[in-house]
Amino acid sequence: QVQLQESGGGVVQPGGSLRLACVASGWSPNMYAMGWFRQSPGKNREWVAAISWSGGSRSYGDSVRGRFTISKETNGNTVTLQMNRLKPEDTAVYYCAVKPETYSRSSSYYTGSNEYDYWGQGTQVTVSS
């Protein structure tokens, strides 16, 4: 059973930065395609960013491209989301999602929520002055 542990949410002023982290465990070897989604009250869950298990391929949603950076640490099971120049509209619960992968899919990343197998519990990000 894969488990996810998220951290790093909080309250920040507009223009500020936050860094989210998600640690996955329970799948061997450490080959996880990983992604971040967010959801604010009254809205559908929105894809934010995704990265392949190798870390070599990544993609971003239009609303965050150029401000957010998704990365994987060398241990293979930790993904971070560096969020810069935050705006009030970035306020949401942010969810980490993972898909255990095979070696051959080293460049695959996923943008649909139904493509992921496991989800974190979510962490609140609030951007407010």
Side-chain angles (χ1 to χ4, degrees):
Q1 180 73 16
V2 175
Q3 295 183 324
L4 303 178
Q5 183 63 50
E6 299 163 344
S7 61
V11 180
V12 64
Q13 292 186 341
S17 298
L18 279 176
R19 181 176 179 269
L20 306 183
C22 175
V23 181
S25 61
W27 176 261
S28 181
N30 280 338
M31 294 181 184
Y32 302 98
M34 306 180 86
W36 289 97
F37 291 76
R38 67 185 183 186
Q39 189 167 19
S40 51
K43 294 187 177 181
N44 293 330
R45 187 167 294 189
E46 176 190 9
W47 168 66
V48 175
I51 192 166
S52 61
W53 77 254
S54 68
S57 299
R58 63 195 75 191
S59 186
Y60 299 93
D62 290 341
S63 61
V64 306
R65 188 176 297 113
R67 300 187 297 123
F68 290 12
T69 302
I70 188 170
S71 300
K72 290 196 78 180
E73 298 192 356
T74 55
N75 60 17
N77 65 340
T78 301
V79 64
T80 62
L81 186 69
Q82 178 66 42
M83 305 184 293
N84 297 329
R85 305 200 310 272
L86 283 160
K87 305 175 182 179
E89 51 264 43
D90 293 318
T91 296
V93 177
Y94 284 70
Y95 297 90
C96 171
V98 302
K99 177 181 176 61
E101 279 286 36
T102 58
Y103 183 83
S104 63
R105 300 184 69 84
S106 61
S107 298
S108 298
Y109 59 82
Y110 306 92
T111 63
S113 59
N114 60 352
E115 297 181 283
Y116 289 91
D117 300 299
Y118 301 96
W119 292 80
Q121 79 284 357
T123 184
Q124 177 71 46
V125 171
T126 301
V127 184
S128 174
S129 55

